[in-house]
Amino acid sequence: MIGTAEAMSQRTTGKSGPEGTRPGTADTSWLDEVAWDAAGLVPAIAQDADSGDILMVAWMNREALAETLATGRAVYWSRSRARLWRKGEESGHVQTVREVRLDCDADVVLLRVEQRGGIACHTGRRSCFFRRFADGRWEVVDPVLKDPESIYR
């Protein structure tokens, strides 16, 4: 879990007690504050908690966000597989969540994470943002750290 119930309560609402109930408990009204899209999803940005680098962007539904906050491990919604995706379930590249934030419009979630194994991208790179636009084209600027064939068997 991300902190104690009391600490989470105070961080998310500034007070303890019923209005500051910890995510993951019976009261899930805090989920209603998120501006879910028509498909019941919200974009989630995974950011390295130490460096501030953006690692990846994925989608979350209510269940994924609730499980993430209850367990302290990043869980996303896989649109291609139409199921929960517990980051690292196949690769071992788990994201331990240090902090969760909601943007000003309540329509984007930010996860500040510790990336196990140093690889967040299915291409075997540290970040999914490994291409930079320069001189009218996209160029690869970050190396493959591990061959994806050896990660996903």
Side-chain angles (χ1 to χ4, degrees), residues 46-61:
Q47 178 184 42
D48 184 287
D50 292 325
S51 71
D53 293 343
I54 302 301
L55 301 175
M56 57 178 271
V57 175
W59 294 91
M60 294 179 124
N61 63 6

Side-chain angles (χ1 to χ4, degrees), residues 44-47 52-58 120-123 125-133 138-143:
I45 300 167
Q47 178 184 42
D53 293 343
I54 302 301
L55 301 175
M56 57 178 271
V57 175
C121 186
H122 74 280
T123 65
R125 291 177 173 88
R126 179 172 183 277
S127 168
C128 294
F129 296 92
F130 60 87
R131 290 180 271 215
R132 176 177 57 206
F133 190 77
W138 295 106
E139 61 182 28
V140 173
V141 294
D142 294 330

Side-chain angles (χ1 to χ4, degrees), residues 1-3 7-8 11-13 22-23 30-31 34 36 42-47 49 60-61 64-76 95-103 108-114:
M1 289 194 265
I2 305 171
M8 177 58 76
R11 272 183 279 166
T12 57
T13 65
R22 175 160 180 21
W30 57 272
L31 284 166
V34 178
W36 306 99
V42 65
I45 300 167
Q47 178 184 42
M60 294 179 124
N61 63 6
L65 182 54
E67 184 175 324
T68 296
L69 285 166
T71 65
R73 178 177 167 178
V75 179
Y76 302 104
Q95 292 175 340
T96 302
V97 179
R98 282 201 201 159
E99 182 180 42
V100 178
R101 293 186 180 209
L102 189 60
D103 82 328
V108 179
V109 171
L110 173 67
L111 304 179
R112 301 197 69 235
V113 303
E114 292 176 35

Side-chain angles (χ1 to χ4, degrees), residues 73 85-95 115-117 119-122 124 146 148 150-153:
R73 178 177 167 178
W85 162 37
R86 292 165 182 88
K87 178 68 176 149
E89 64 191 354
E90 293 178 26
S91 65
H93 300 140
V94 172
Q95 292 175 340
Q115 180 65 61
R116 186 179 302 166
I119 297 173
C121 186
H122 74 280
K146 190 169 185 180
S150 67
I151 298 171
Y152 304 99
R153 296 180 185 192

